[in-house]
């Protein structure tokens, strides 16, 4: 069973930074492709960032490219989403998700097999 636990969300001023964490197992961090998704109130879930099981291939949504960075710490069994230069439109519940299917370019939410419960990020202006 794959368990994903997000943390690190909170309230931040526009232009500020947050780092989200997704804690999982050693097996999952080493064998699953992992991604971050978000859902803003009243909007559809959207892809944010992802990397493959080795962490060597990464993808970002155009809206966050250059501002967000996804990474894995194998020693801590954790995948991170470093978010810089935050904007009010980044406000959303952020979810960590996993799949063994590899996608090129980006990961569809429908293709993810396991999901965390989410962590809320609120960016004020």
């Amino acid at each position: 069973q794959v368990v994903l636990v997000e943390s690190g969300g909170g309230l931040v001023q526009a232009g500020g930074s947050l780092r989200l964490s997704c804690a999982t197992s050693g097996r999952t961090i080493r064998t699953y492709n992992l991604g971050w998704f978000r859902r803003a109130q009243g909007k559809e879930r959207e892809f944010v960032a992802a990397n493959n099981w080795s962490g060597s291939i990464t993808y970002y949504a155009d809206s966050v490219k250059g501002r967000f960075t996804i990474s894995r710490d194998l020693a801590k069994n954790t995948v991170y989403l470093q978010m810089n230069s935050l904007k009010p439109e980044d406000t959303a519940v952020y979810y960590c998700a996993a799949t063994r299917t590899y996608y090129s370019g980006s990961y569809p939410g429908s293709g993810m097999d396991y999901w965390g419960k989410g962590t809320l990020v609120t960016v004020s202006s």
Side-chain angles (χ1 to χ4, degrees):
Q1 187 176 22
V2 173
V3 177
L4 305 164
V5 181
E6 303 97 331
S7 63
L11 175 64
V12 64
Q13 293 288 108
S17 298
L18 284 174
R19 186 171 72 168
L20 306 183
S21 299
C22 176
T24 188
S25 70
R27 179 183 65 84
T28 299
I29 201 78
R30 291 171 172 82
T31 62
Y32 279 80
N33 308 303
L34 297 169
W36 287 95
F37 297 78
R38 67 187 183 187
R39 182 186 288 275
Q41 190 171 22
K43 295 185 177 181
E44 298 292 325
R45 178 184 60 201
E46 66 176 350
F47 167 77
V48 176
N51 61 17
N52 72 327
W53 65 269
S54 70
S56 62
I57 303 173
T58 63
Y59 300 114
Y60 297 95
D62 289 341
S63 60
V64 307
K65 192 173 298 182
R67 299 189 297 122
F68 292 10
T69 303
I70 187 171
S71 63
R72 300 187 188 204
D73 188 332
L74 300 183
K76 296 182 178 180
N77 298 332
T78 301
V79 60
Y80 298 102
L81 184 68
Q82 178 66 48
M83 305 185 294
N84 299 326
S85 301
L86 283 162
K87 305 174 181 179
E89 49 263 47
D90 294 318
T91 296
V93 176
Y94 285 71
Y95 299 90
C96 182
T99 181
R100 282 207 166 114
T101 302
Y102 176 76
Y103 295 89
S104 180
S106 68
Y107 279 72
S110 60
M112 311 308 289
D113 300 310
Y114 303 96
W115 294 84
K117 300 298 183 183
T119 185
L120 177 63
V121 172
T122 303
V123 184
S124 62
S125 60

